[in-house]
Amino acid sequence: MGKERITGSEALLRSLINEGVDTIFGYPGGSIMPVFDALYDHRNDFRNVLVRHEQGAVHAAQGYARSSGKVGVSIVTSGPGATNTLTGISDAMLDSTPVVVIAGQVSTGVLGTDAFQEIDFVGITQPITKWSYQIRRPEDIAWAVARAFYIAGSGRPGPVVLDFNKDAQVAMLDYEPAKVDCVRSYIPYPTPSRNAIEEAARLVNESQRPLLLVGQGVELGEAHEELKAFIEKADIPAARTLMGLSALPTDHPLCVGMLGMHGNYGPNFNTNECDLLIAVGMRFSDRVTGKLSTYAKQAKIVHIDIDHAEINKNVTVDVPIVGDCKEVLPLLTALVNKAEHKEWIESFARYNAIEHEKVTVKALNPGSGPLLMGEVARKVSEATANSAILVTDVGQNQMMSARYFKYTKPHSILTSGGLGTMGYGLPAAIGAKIAMPERTVCLFTGDGGMQMNIQELGTIMEQGTAVKIILLNNNYLGNVRQWQELFFNHRYSWTPMLNPDYALIAQGYGIPSRLVVERDELDDAIAEMLAAPGPFLLHVAVMEEANVMPMTPPGASVNEMIFE
């Protein structure tokens, strides 16, 4: 049977089908119109989600990818359509999210002439992608798509850009599917050093005060069970990064809390008390380490990561193990002794009890006064049997919901960690719900972040996406205001927010909503939200000048947390 002669646009769509793609987040325009025309005939093959802004397209693809483990796909036009995706691409790069962004481009004959909506998209995106490539010939389409998906989804995941010239979209070719499972000089799954694993096991066996740091790499590598087997055998307390919160259930007996600037006191304090620090699939972000010159200086450090570029980048380690944690952890588990560190583990509880008394009790059970973000987050979590997917925007809403939500299932927190992108939450929640329709998706957002991509309420309206939106409204850009209070002498420079009537906005998009001001209304309102068959906006008026505590101040050591 001979090869079928088809257009480049048709070849692109068949190549996406060949990669198992069934959902696209996109926005049409002049330079990508042939692809969208071909898409018209593939309405049964793809769910094409028309977003309201190209930034929303990439964030939605991120939410889809992070919750499902698949590669997310966005298709946009050239010029502003392409440049509008840059924030999402950058976010995906820093948070290791596998997305493929396909952008239209002007025809090859006018490249470099400043043609209408021409921009050097490959040049712009090379620093913020794993691979960026311009398709100029239709014969390259199948190969480029296969290579893009292989690179995006393998090893340490990340974004890939395909810049698709318009003449290649309309030209004819003899189509043949392509498969890429190897790229020269790219080693996505490095073979871990046996000597390094043996040395790490020796350190574990000699340690009296070990501490394991759980990063998102455990989620990306689907190494949840391997992690539990390792810490349970060696009796090692485990603390989670923001991105790795759902990699270990909240109620696991060896889970000692969250790391970082707004994490829990016990794991932060004991980072500078442990004699062995084992980092798994995390990158020693400044938000985790605090002051680097004083970070875990007393400890031997083992770092397990699939990306060799992360080794010794921020923190110098004693035993680097470059490899997939799903492969490395069982090898390590086989070599470590069955151990018990009862007194060491109890020390975390003592420090966390201090935090509980000074912060948590007040955050969850204030008794009187305005509603607080923490109590709202905990009540929503418990009302979902702690099984929902938490999607956050960025700011105080992010920190408070992440802190007080509970996690029982993997892939249950989607948040912008590395870039800290306000506006991430709403489109990411749409992508998550489309990917995982059987799970409850709860978006926590602030009044600032909500308005960054508020147009995506239109996507929810059109798609009927049953996202539960919890808007924590304090009439401020809360996180910046907190820093202004603590470090800029209460000079609230352009952080107070004059907000619209969100009920009217929701009504305009056909989304039911409810405003909660009084505490005794909250439980009933949450029940109403969760019982609604479709989307719902729960608008909660919270204390205006509340702060996220505890906090490691900028420039302070990780164990120097403040409580008020």
Side-chain angles (χ1 to χ4, degrees), residues 94 131 157 172 293 437 446 497 514:
L94 285 175
W131 185 52
M172 304 297 290
S293 62
M497 294 280 287
R514 180 167 171 178

Side-chain angles (χ1 to χ4, degrees), residues 329-351:
L329 286 171
L331 297 174
L332 196 52
T333 303
L335 298 178
V336 300
N337 300 330
K338 182 72 175 174
E340 185 176 299
H341 301 106
K342 187 172 184 290
E343 185 177 341
W344 167 240
I345 292 169
E346 287 174 350
S347 72
F348 289 85
R350 291 195 298 271
Y351 290 119

Side-chain angles (χ1 to χ4, degrees), residues 213-216 239-246 257-260 280-283 288 413:
L213 313 183
V214 183
Q216 188 194 195
R240 305 154 302 162
T241 67
L242 174 67
M243 300 290 288
L245 278 173
S246 61
M258 176 175 135
L259 294 161
V280 183
M282 54 87 73
R283 59 189 180 87
V288 165
I413 179 167

Side-chain angles (χ1 to χ4, degrees), residues 218-498:
V218 173
E219 295 252 65
L220 296 173
E222 298 290 345
H224 307 90
E225 295 306 314
E226 290 81 359
L227 172 72
K228 284 189 272 191
F230 173 63
I231 62 174
E232 287 167 6
K233 182 178 182 182
D235 201 34
I236 300 176
R240 305 154 302 162
T241 67
L242 174 67
M243 300 290 288
L245 278 173
S246 61
L248 186 67
T250 304
D251 61 358
H252 191 284
L254 290 170
C255 179
V256 293
M258 176 175 135
L259 294 161
M261 175 176 280
H262 292 295
N264 296 117
Y265 188 39
N268 279 327
F269 190 92
N270 274 344
T271 294
N272 281 5
E273 297 293 323
C274 65
D275 60 10
L276 176 64
L277 200 64
I278 307 163
V280 183
M282 54 87 73
R283 59 189 180 87
F284 289 111
S285 159
D286 60 291
R287 284 297 195 261
V288 165
T289 63
K291 186 178 180 182
L292 274 173
S293 62
T294 60
Y295 182 76
K297 293 301 179 184
Q298 79 294 335
K300 295 287 187 181
I301 301 178
V302 175
H303 190 181
I304 302 169
D305 203 282
I306 202 167
D307 186 357
H308 66 86
E310 292 298 339
I311 303 295
N312 295 320
K313 185 179 79 174
N314 295 331
V315 173
T316 302
V317 303
D318 298 281
V319 182
I321 304 176
V322 181
D324 186 345
C325 59
K326 191 173 182 68
E327 177 186 3
V328 171
L329 286 171
L331 297 174
L332 196 52
T333 303
L335 298 178
V336 300
N337 300 330
K338 182 72 175 174
E340 185 176 299
H341 301 106
K342 187 172 184 290
E343 185 177 341
W344 167 240
I345 292 169
E346 287 174 350
S347 72
F348 289 85
R350 291 195 298 271
Y351 290 119
N352 283 339
I354 296 172
E355 176 187 340
H356 184 79
E357 179 184 349
K358 294 186 175 182
V359 175
T360 309
V361 170
K362 301 172 187 175
L364 298 182
N365 301 292
S368 61
L371 282 159
L372 299 178
M373 293 185 182
E375 64 179 314
V376 178
R378 178 59 58 87
K379 281 182 176 291
V380 171
S381 180
E382 291 176 345
T384 65
N386 302 315
S387 63
I389 295 176
L390 168 66
V391 185
T392 85
D393 208 86
V394 168
Q396 288 184 320
N397 64 86
Q398 175 187 35
M399 292 295 102
M400 294 299 270
S401 59
R403 277 178 56 84
Y404 294 114
F405 232 71
K406 294 182 179 180
Y407 310 91
T408 58
K409 297 180 179 180
H411 307 293
S412 291
I413 179 167
L414 279 62
T415 190
S416 175
L419 197 63
T421 305
M422 290 177 68
Y424 166 90
L426 188 56
I430 294 170
K433 185 62 181 177
I434 287 173
M436 307 297 287
E438 73 283 0
R439 294 191 66 184
T440 300
V441 175
C442 294
L443 165 65
F444 278 76
T445 184
D447 40 315
M450 178 70 176
Q451 294 181 79
M452 285 279 186
N453 273 316
I454 198 169
Q455 74 284 340
E456 298 309 328
L457 291 175
T459 307
I460 289 177
M461 174 181 67
E462 183 168 303
Q463 299 293 324
T465 317
V467 173
K468 310 304 181 183
I469 305 166
I470 300 94
L471 170 60
L472 303 174
N473 187 355
N474 59 8
N475 295 307
Y476 277 101
L477 298 175
N479 215 43
V480 181
R481 186 215 56 77
Q482 177 170 333
W483 281 54
Q484 289 172 336
E485 175 188 331
L486 297 176
F487 312 118
F488 291 87
N489 197 30
H490 293 78
R491 290 161 58 89
Y492 295 162
S493 180
W494 280 272
T495 46
M497 294 280 287
L498 178 61

